[in-house]
Each structure stands twice: as structure tokens, then as C-alpha cells.
Amino acid sequence: MAVRTKWTVEHSCGHEVVHDLSDRAADRRAGFARWLAARDCTDCWKAARSTDTASKEEWLAAKRAEEQRAAAEWAAQFDMPPLEGPERALAWGERSRHQLMTTAHTALVIEGTWDDADWAELEEKARTITRAGWWIDQRDTDGTDLPELLDAATDKDRGTENPFR
């Protein structure tokens, strides 16, 4: 006698659904049916996700706006040049630059052995990198890697403006 492929599962939401488990190995069907029973059915799961989407999007928009405000204030305070690139990448690049520079300052100066003169030199190098995409690409790097990354930047990552302010 073959192991059944159709399982009637009563989900935690109270709905009863017949699931075709023929795509699973025969010895894994019963366990998967138990796992399904501990969860909402697909319709309830989708409904719960769609109702929560609005609040999640509002939260994310508020978080991004706060990060953008902090990045703009930081850029103005430390005389960072505006970034160049596609319109949709500019804000992300500004946030990424701010986060990486802040992380690097913490790692190198506050927790590390750098002094203010070392940091000022690094800031000058950072000011020359105006391509938003470069900062986005470096967003997940360790702050201690920033000096090496800035040295590795190419001419296409640097702005075309006069570097002497």
C-alpha cells in the first residue's frame, strides 16, 4: 500500500485544507503535515501579511526619513560634497556614506588608536569620493577597512569638480 499523497490539515486558524504532498518524499509527508497544522492556512497568512504591510511601510518610511535627516545634517556639518549618480541612488548613497563614516570614526578614533589629524586626512579622502554607487557598494564593510577602500577607489568614483575648495 502506497503512502498517501493528499493530507487534510486543520490549520491553527481553524480552516481545513487538503494539501497535495506528492512532491515530498513519502517519509517526510506526515511531519510536514504536522508542521502545516501549526500554521495559518495560506489565505489567512496572506491576509495577515497584507494588512500589516501598511504599518511596516510607514515604519520603514519614517526610519528612512530619520536616517536621511541625520545624514544630511552630518554632511553639512562636516562639509561633505553632494553625491553624484542616478536620482534614486542619491539618498541611499548619502545614508550609506554617513553610516560607514560614523562606523569608521568609532572603530578608528574612539575605540582605535587614531588621532584627530589621522581622521582629518581620511575625511579629505572621503570628500573626493562623490559617486553614490561607491558608497552603496561599501555599505556592509567594516569601518576599519575604510582607509584601504578609499585608497582603492578609482577615478570614476571621484568627482569631476575642483578638489581644492
Side-chain angles (χ1 to χ4, degrees):
M1 184 164 157
V3 177
R4 63 185 169 151
T5 58
K6 303 245 191 253
W7 292 74
T8 303
V9 176
E10 186 173 337
H11 289 274
S12 62
C13 61
H15 294 116
E16 196 171 281
V17 178
V18 176
H19 291 276
D20 180 3
L21 303 181
S22 61
D23 61 338
R24 301 205 171 267
D27 63 337
R28 298 185 182 265
R29 293 176 190 157
F32 188 67
R34 270 192 307 278
W35 182 84
L36 285 171
R39 278 136 189 82
D40 289 345
C41 71
T42 304
D43 292 338
C44 291
W45 179 79
K46 285 180 181 178
R49 285 195 61 186
S50 66
T51 58
D52 189 42
T53 302
S55 64
K56 191 182 337 176
E57 288 175 0
E58 289 173 11
W59 174 83
L60 187 58
K63 184 176 190 289
R64 290 289 182 253
E66 173 58 28
E67 289 173 349
Q68 196 63 42
R69 184 197 56 74
E73 288 176 0
W74 173 84
Q77 179 182 357
F78 292 100
D79 196 27
M80 290 291 164
L83 296 179
E84 301 166 350
E87 184 65 33
R88 64 181 203 183
L90 295 178
W92 190 12
E94 289 173 3
R95 290 191 311 271
S96 297
R97 176 176 64 180
H98 174 242
Q99 290 166 352
L100 181 55
M101 291 292 289
T102 307
T103 301
H105 185 267
T106 301
L108 298 171
V109 178
I110 296 173
E111 296 171 354
T113 59
W114 281 35
D115 60 16
D116 288 339
D118 295 328
W119 182 253
E121 186 179 323
L122 183 97
E123 273 186 335
E124 283 303 317
K125 284 183 182 179
R127 283 185 186 95
T128 66
I129 308 297
T130 58
R131 189 173 70 85
W134 188 90
W135 291 101
I136 293 168
D137 291 344
Q138 312 313 319
R139 70 186 179 276
D140 293 326
T141 60
D142 191 49
T144 56
D145 294 337
L146 185 59
E148 185 177 346
L149 294 169
L150 289 170
D151 288 340
T154 64
D155 287 341
K156 73 175 191 168
D157 301 316
R158 301 184 197 292
T160 56
E161 293 296 314
N162 183 354
F164 305 103
R165 290 178 275 137

